[in-house]
């Protein structure tokens, strides 16, 4: 069976004041063409459909058009909610849409949702697991201690009683890591403090393929069959060196491995950085070598103060998203900031206290403070 693995569409995203809607329409048309040329009949979308939990009408229309075109091509769609999505909005009318081969899983309801598809080798079970947190699954497992993301995922998978002698695909939207393997991260992802949301890939290695969403760079995580599809577009300047793809996956007989193929996606406007003095960057000689319509991060190295640099730059480069000065003064400021940070480094307890306050919007009680201190003390002595 061949299927297309997508994730992190982030429809409706705005990057440095620029709407990505037209870019997203453009890349969805490329995906449709890949589906037609590769003769693909199943599409898996591993979360973060929208960029906001309450998407704007335009974003909803764009995704509706995309789903409608997939349906016109007789494509089976398996889709889960990510951490940016509203579970209820993703799940809306899912029982009615199942008859149209659209399987939408917005929230974890106590067990994994299973969709079984068939090819010439028999059944393939697709297990749909939307984004979960320990807090959101606690109520389903009152007889278990669910404190960490590992605990939550392990409990969720165990509900399925999966028969690993047949082919199984997990679709999930979480941050998976493997010891000794540093994942490629980007600024456009939501990062938890201290990697508290990290989950070991050891919990999912038995699946024949794991279709992941959450990280925006296309990458494997510790094994060839555990894949992040990545976002279809660059959503931050930390991604400028990342080519973007739709990921074609082919699963044949059990225990014969999987094949993957990166299908390239090209934006209307690329995202790039250029660096130099303003008079150099604005010159015809330099600007003629640059695609002026790209989304640009301009790094200016002038020592002197420049009045209204963005207006000057945009007279030549209309899609400048970001401007950063880089000179002797800014380098000194960076050194001063680093020295200040080093002298004011917070303890583990202080860091957790700040994290608790930011999340809960109220400080810990004396009892909670006592528990945290005991746990931290236990951690340092073990």
């Amino acid at each position: 069976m061949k299927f297309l693995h997508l994730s992190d569409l982030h429809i409706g995203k705005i990057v440095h004041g620029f709407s990505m809607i037209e870019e997203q329409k453009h890349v969805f048309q490329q995906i449709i063409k890949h589906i037609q040329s590769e003769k693909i009949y199943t599409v898996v979308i591993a979360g973060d459909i929208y960029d906001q939990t309450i998407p704007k009408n335009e974003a909803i229309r764009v995704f509706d058009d995309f789903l409608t075109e997939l349906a016109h091509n007789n494509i089976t769609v398996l889709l889960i909610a990510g951490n940016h999505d509203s579970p209820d909005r993703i799940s809306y009318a899912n029982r009615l849409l199942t008859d149209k081969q659209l399987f939408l899983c917005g929230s974890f309801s106590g067990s994994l949702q299973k969709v079984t598809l068939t090819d010439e080798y028999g059944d393939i079970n697709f297990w749909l697991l939307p984004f979960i947190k320990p807090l959101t699954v606690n109520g389903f497992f009152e007889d278990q201690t669910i404190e960490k993301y590992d605990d939550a995922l392990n409990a969720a998978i165990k509900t399925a009683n999966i028969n690993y002698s047949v082919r199984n695909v997990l679709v999930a939207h979480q941050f998976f890591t493997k010891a000794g393997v540093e994942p490629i991260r980007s600024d456009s992802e939501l990062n938890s403090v201290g990697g508290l949301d990290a989950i070991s890939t050891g919990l999912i290695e038995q699946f024949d393929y794991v279709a992941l969403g959450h990280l925006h760079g296309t990458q494997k995580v510790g094994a060839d069959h555990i894949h992040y599809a990545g976002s279809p577009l660059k959503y931050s300047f930390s991604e400028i060196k990342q080519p973007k793809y739709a990921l074609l996956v082919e699963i044949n007989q059990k225990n014969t491995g999987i094949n993957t193929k990166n299908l390239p996606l090209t934006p209307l406007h690329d995202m790039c950085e250029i660096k130099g003095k303003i008079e150099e960057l604005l010159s015809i000689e330099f600007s003629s070598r640059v695609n002026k319509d790209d989304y640009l991060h301009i790094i200016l190295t002038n020592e002197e103060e420049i009045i209204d640099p963005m207006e000057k730059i945009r007279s030549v480069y209309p899609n400048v998203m970001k401007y950063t000065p880089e000179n002797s003064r800014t380098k000194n400021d960076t050194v001063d900031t680093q020295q200040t940070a080093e002298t004011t480094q917070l303890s583990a307890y202080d860091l957790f206290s700040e994290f608790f306050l930011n999340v809960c919007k109220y400080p810990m009680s004396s009892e909670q403070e006592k528990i945290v201190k005991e746990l931290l003390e236990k951690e340092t002595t073990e």
Side-chain angles (χ1 to χ4, degrees), residues 106-298:
S107 58
F108 179 72
S109 57
S111 61
L112 294 189
Q113 180 177 332
K114 181 174 80 168
V115 177
T116 301
L117 303 180
T118 305
D119 65 6
E120 64 269 33
Y121 303 112
D123 292 344
I124 300 182
N125 297 321
F126 287 81
W127 301 93
L128 308 184
L129 178 61
F131 179 71
I132 57 172
K133 295 181 178 179
L135 186 63
T136 59
V137 303
N138 250 322
F140 298 107
F141 306 106
E142 294 180 354
D143 58 332
Q144 300 180 46
T145 302
I146 309 292
E147 295 178 341
K148 300 177 182 178
Y149 278 79
D150 271 16
D151 300 333
L153 186 100
N154 193 37
I157 289 177
K158 281 184 176 179
T159 64
N161 294 317
I162 298 170
N163 175 10
Y164 288 105
S165 68
V166 299
R167 293 173 297 169
N168 294 283
V169 175
L170 175 67
V171 185
H173 189 97
Q174 306 286 158
F175 177 36
F176 285 93
T177 61
K178 185 176 178 67
V181 178
E182 186 65 31
I184 302 168
R185 305 299 303 266
S186 70
D187 295 341
S188 56
E189 301 155 11
L190 288 179
N191 298 321
S192 289
V193 174
L196 295 177
D197 58 347
I199 302 173
S200 169
T201 56
L203 298 176
I204 56 174
E205 287 178 342
Q206 283 184 277
F207 288 91
D208 295 271
Y209 183 78
V210 183
L212 295 178
H214 196 41
L215 301 189
H216 288 187
T218 303
Q219 59 192 290
K220 303 170 187 176
V221 189
D224 288 344
H225 67 292
I226 303 175
H227 252 284
Y228 282 100
S231 59
L233 290 165
K234 298 173 185 178
Y235 289 132
S236 76
F237 286 101
S238 62
E239 299 171 48
I240 59 174
K241 294 183 179 180
Q242 294 178 9
K244 297 298 180 177
Y245 306 106
L247 187 60
L248 174 61
V249 182
E250 185 171 9
I251 301 180
N252 296 315
Q253 289 176 295
K254 180 74 177 179
N255 298 325
T256 59
I258 54 106
N259 298 311
T260 60
K261 179 181 178 182
N262 292 332
L263 306 177
L265 300 173
T266 305
L268 283 171
H269 306 90
D270 202 0
M271 190 175 279
C272 307
E273 288 183 341
I274 58 175
K275 179 178 179 179
K277 293 185 176 181
I278 192 167
E279 55 270 20
E280 176 192 0
L281 302 186
L282 299 183
S283 69
I284 294 175
E285 181 184 1
F286 184 94
S287 62
S288 63
R289 303 196 303 267
V290 178
N291 187 337
K292 298 183 184 68
D293 291 327
D294 280 348
Y295 295 126
L296 296 175
H297 174 203
I298 303 287

Side-chain angles (χ1 to χ4, degrees), residues 293-339:
D293 291 327
D294 280 348
Y295 295 126
L296 296 175
H297 174 203
I298 303 287
I299 303 171
L300 292 185
T301 59
N302 296 71
E303 287 294 332
E304 70 277 9
E305 191 82 26
I306 299 172
I307 299 172
D308 203 355
M310 283 296 272
E311 183 178 351
K312 291 181 173 67
I313 294 166
R314 282 185 173 152
S315 67
V316 176
Y317 307 103
N319 291 330
V320 172
M321 285 184 163
K322 185 180 177 183
Y323 146 69
T324 303
E326 185 179 292
N327 51 42
S328 58
R329 284 176 289 118
T330 59
K331 288 176 182 176
N332 288 335
D333 290 344
T334 301
V335 171
D336 291 342
T337 302
Q338 289 174 342
Q339 290 174 342

Side-chain angles (χ1 to χ4, degrees), residues 1-4 37-42 119 248-251:
M1 174 181 286
K2 291 195 298 188
F3 62 89
L4 199 67
S37 64
E38 296 284 348
K39 295 181 171 53
I40 299 166
Y41 296 100
T42 302
D119 65 6
L248 174 61
V249 182
E250 185 171 9
I251 301 180

